[in-house]
Amino acid sequence: MSSSARLRRRESADIGQWPDSMPPLLRRIYAARGATCVEQAQPRLTQLLPPDGMLGLDAATTLLLDAIAADRHILVVGDFDCDGATACAVGVRGLRMLGAKRVSHAVPNRIVHGYGLSPALVEELAKLQPDLLVTVDHGIACHAGIAAARERGWQVLVTDHHLPGDRLPQADAIVDPNQPGDTFPSKMLAGVGVMFYVLLALRRRMREAGAFGGGPASNGPDLSVLLDLVAVGTVADLVALDANNRALVAAGLRRLRAGQGSAGLRALIEVSQRDFRNLTAADIGYAVGPRLNAAGRLEDMALGIECLLTDNDAQARSIAATLNQINAERRAVQQQMTDEAEAAFARINLDASSRPMALCLFDPDWHPGVVGLVASKMKERLHRPVIAFAPAEPGSDRLRGSARSIPGFHIRDALADVAARHPDLIEKFGGHAMAAGLSLPLDAFEAFRDAFVHCARIALTPELLQADVLSDGELDASEFDRVHAESLRDGGPWGQGFAEPQFDGEFEVLSWRVVSERHLKLELGRDGLRLNAIQFGGWDGNKPPPWVRIAYRLEPDDYRGGNAVQLVVTHREAL
């Protein structure tokens, strides 16, 4: 969190219709997030929005029905992040469940092919002789690749959730809730969620056609078995957890907590040293997702997809161990790159009032698979939009950039504005409000940086550049217990748009020590209580003052067990 962050409290009240068994603290948390009943706070699958209104589903399901009936080769083309990998696995598994016998998958290599369905990837896929390509988590911006595929006589179904450009690609069918004319109420589906909805619509059409016969099986296969994958991809992609996404994620978490997840996800949870019985969305975001993502960042996401598709426990554990090792390498590369970025920024030696409105960072030795994580870290530290660039491949004269933004500054629209004003700078771009990717020639970097900073200077205000730490208020002394900590943990899923609860208060620092050179372990005192706390990455080389005001999460301390709880400090300031 930015050192100049401001601690503020959310407006909250214990209002609404709640069961007597729900702790008043949890009622207050839900009300502060706009929920006034259990159905809004903890939506179930029965409340899932129907596919009606999602543009392109009729054309998409017709393509798939015809391909299944004619035993054509369906090739699901994934993407090299966690959302793309889980969407690919959902597509392959779901189509096989619905009767497709010739289903295979492919994924671009970040270094070799670049993003999405590119002409280079199409050329490589020709040897597989597909009849129908199904893109997942990409495609809405892949004009050239789709054109190349159709020139070969292949049909193309695009399933995506990214924002489209000025024109749509010439695919046979497009399902994207963010395309013009789409009336589906939730625009926040991840790529894996879009593919899941396509499968729901396909099953409904097959059911209406009597494809599943009569009796108990007449409804068709149970697609809810795919929700563990849907949950992981949705959380890892940091899309807003609106009620529809929370219903999907909560159902997936229930499967994972019951030990019913796919072999690959169970192995990834195990290698992440998490307890599947208490798995949370935060565990997916900080432990499971990064290990899956690491394959696409440093190696080849084909390995990650293989992990998600295998039903062999031994093979899943072997692949998960490899992914864990790759993730360790990714963390080392990320730390080195972040240290270099921070050192470069420190050399500018600007105080908060004179910092640039936005940052563009580039180093010829950086890895293109990790620049997004560097941009994210620097954005969190400085509370500025940040784009980090690396050569597309060693020695290349093309750059790949990954952008991360702050609330109030739509990064994809900003790139579109730069592209409109300077048509020759950006080769291609795409993304969301908070994250985007782009590529440009090396010799265009400085001109792009100036144009992007100029765009940020126009759009950003001092208020937007002030980071806020939102608190749900103080906890009563009686609420620092295991019962409340577990109710908060299990009251989610928490995430983007439905923030995990955190609280604030003033505490005496009774003792402290440094853990693993970077983390700060504290014993805090308040109202006669002695509370264990930890601030990850909180050691700044300075002894903590006697009294502090902190923002924190209350969590069960499973390491100490029993009734132990700990405070996870997210913001600290001296009193």
Side-chain angles (χ1 to χ4, degrees):
M1 179 58 67
S2 169
S3 58
S4 60
R6 166 179 61 187
L7 185 58
R8 294 198 301 115
R9 289 183 177 174
R10 290 185 177 89
E11 296 290 333
S12 62
D14 182 4
I15 58 174
Q17 302 293 321
W18 306 105
D20 293 338
S21 59
M22 182 177 289
L25 173 61
L26 198 54
R27 303 178 196 174
R28 175 164 64 88
I29 297 296
Y30 286 146
R33 286 150 183 77
T36 58
C37 61
V38 172
E39 290 73 22
Q40 293 176 3
Q42 299 175 351
R44 311 289 288 190
L45 282 180
T46 53
Q47 300 166 244
L48 200 65
L49 292 169
D52 306 325
M54 192 174 284
L55 191 64
L57 276 182
D58 284 344
T61 52
T62 297
L63 282 173
L64 292 170
L65 281 171
D66 291 347
I68 293 172
D71 196 26
R72 297 189 186 117
H73 181 193
I74 303 172
L75 180 61
V76 181
V77 184
D79 188 23
F80 41 60
D81 67 358
C82 189
D83 185 18
T86 53
C88 185
V90 164
V92 171
R93 286 182 175 274
L95 288 171
R96 288 173 178 167
M97 291 170 66
L98 291 168
K101 293 182 172 57
R102 298 176 62 205
V103 183
S104 59
H105 68 279
V107 63
N109 182 291
R110 185 188 298 266
I111 302 298
V112 177
H113 306 110
Y115 170 76
L117 186 65
S118 63
L121 179 60
V122 167
E123 184 175 350
E124 186 168 310
L125 297 179
K127 62 179 179 291
L128 301 178
Q129 297 183 316
D131 299 302
L132 170 62
L133 300 187
V134 180
T135 72
V136 290
D137 191 35
H138 71 280
I140 201 69
C142 299
H143 297 267
I146 290 171
R150 296 194 69 194
E151 285 175 4
R152 291 179 176 271
W154 308 341
Q155 294 177 311
V156 180
L157 163 58
V158 169
T159 74
D160 201 352
H161 69 126
H162 293 94
L163 296 172
D166 296 335
R167 60 188 180 91
L168 298 177
Q170 295 300 305
D172 294 273
I174 299 174
V175 182
D176 184 332
N178 289 298
Q179 66 177 307
D182 189 289
T183 60
F184 186 71
S186 173
K187 305 300 181 185
M188 304 302 176
L189 285 174
V192 67
V194 175
M195 187 62 226
F196 183 71
Y197 262 87
V198 170
L199 295 172
L200 291 178
L202 177 60
R203 183 182 63 179
R204 183 174 65 180
R205 282 196 62 177
M206 296 178 74
R207 181 189 301 148
E208 292 170 350
F212 307 121
S218 62
N219 286 330
D222 180 10
L223 296 178
S224 70
V225 300
L226 302 172
L227 286 172
D228 57 333
L229 295 163
V230 175
V232 170
T234 299
V235 170
D237 212 46
L238 299 178
V239 294
L241 294 187
D242 60 8
N244 205 60
N245 276 337
R246 292 205 311 282
L248 291 169
V249 172
L253 279 171
R254 286 193 293 273
R255 291 193 61 81
L256 289 166
R257 288 173 177 172
Q260 297 173 338
S262 67
L265 287 182
R266 294 199 311 271
L268 286 169
I269 293 167
E270 181 181 317
V271 81
S272 302
Q273 298 184 325
R274 295 302 196 272
D275 184 349
F276 71 88
R277 294 166 296 184
N278 299 317
L279 196 76
T280 66
D283 291 325
I284 292 174
Y286 291 110
V288 179
R291 283 168 171 78
L292 193 54
N293 262 330
R297 294 188 185 281
L298 294 187
E299 298 285 341
D300 185 347
M301 185 49 93
L303 184 65
I305 296 173
E306 184 181 355
C307 184
L308 300 180
L309 287 176
T310 184
D311 292 318
N312 182 290
D313 288 337
Q315 184 183 22
R317 287 195 180 96
S318 175
I319 299 173
T322 301
L323 292 173
N324 190 53
Q325 181 181 353
I326 296 172
N327 187 59
E329 296 171 7
R330 185 274 306 169
R331 292 175 65 180
V333 172
Q334 175 190 341
Q335 188 60 53
Q336 177 183 344
M337 288 168 56
T338 302
D339 289 345
E340 291 168 354
E342 290 183 342
F345 183 79
R347 287 194 292 271
I348 303 175
N349 198 27
L350 299 175
D351 60 30
S353 63
S354 57
R355 289 174 182 169
M357 291 285 195
L359 267 72
C360 286
L361 306 169
F362 166 64
D363 191 295
D365 295 324
W366 283 355
H367 193 291
V370 187
V371 286
L373 300 174
V374 172
S376 182
K377 287 287 186 183
M378 295 300 292
K379 181 266 297 185
E380 290 172 6
R381 178 187 165 188
L382 303 171
H383 199 69
R384 299 284 196 277
V386 176
I387 308 180
F389 289 91
E393 55 187 70
S396 173
D397 60 356
R398 291 178 59 254
L399 301 183
R400 290 204 185 120
S402 192
R404 298 294 183 270
S405 193
I406 59 176
F409 186 74
H410 196 298
I411 193 70
R412 191 258 173 208
D413 285 357
L415 294 178
D417 182 64
V418 172
R421 294 172 184 268
H422 307 276
D424 297 330
L425 290 182
I426 304 177
E427 293 178 344
K428 57 182 179 179
F429 67 94
H432 307 290
M434 302 298 287
L438 70 158
S439 61
L440 49 82
L442 173 60
D443 58 12
F445 172 74
E446 292 186 4
F448 170 81
R449 178 191 60 201
D450 294 344
F452 178 69
V453 172
H454 175 74
C455 178
R457 190 179 299 118
I458 294 172
L460 289 169
T461 64
E463 291 74 20
L464 290 174
L465 293 173
Q466 175 66 63
D468 285 328
V469 179
L470 292 178
S471 163
D472 290 295
E474 290 194 75
L475 286 181
D476 185 79
S478 64
E479 294 173 326
F480 288 97
D481 62 20
R482 185 87 179 192
V483 171
H484 285 90
E486 289 182 351
S487 72
L488 293 171
R489 178 194 65 195
D490 299 334
W494 313 104
Q496 297 291 318
F498 203 73
E500 188 168 8
Q502 65 177 355
F503 311 93
D504 73 273
E506 298 178 1
F507 296 85
E508 183 181 6
V509 179
L510 302 176
S511 65
W512 63 276
R513 59 189 174 90
V514 179
V515 179
S516 299
E517 300 182 353
R518 299 177 56 242
H519 313 307
L520 192 62
K521 188 73 174 174
L522 301 157
E523 186 179 24
L524 303 176
R526 192 190 117 181
D527 298 329
L529 298 173
R530 300 177 75 93
L531 300 162
N532 284 301
I534 187 166
Q535 184 177 11
F536 294 106
W539 174 240
D540 59 4
N542 298 310
K543 176 182 177 181
W547 285 84
V548 292
R549 185 184 185 200
I550 63 170
Y552 61 91
R553 299 191 305 269
L554 176 67
E555 296 185 353
D557 189 344
D558 293 325
Y559 179 76
R560 290 193 297 149
N563 293 320
V565 298
Q566 73 172 350
L567 312 186
V568 178
V569 179
T570 58
H571 175 78
R572 172 171 55 93
E573 55 191 46
L575 290 177

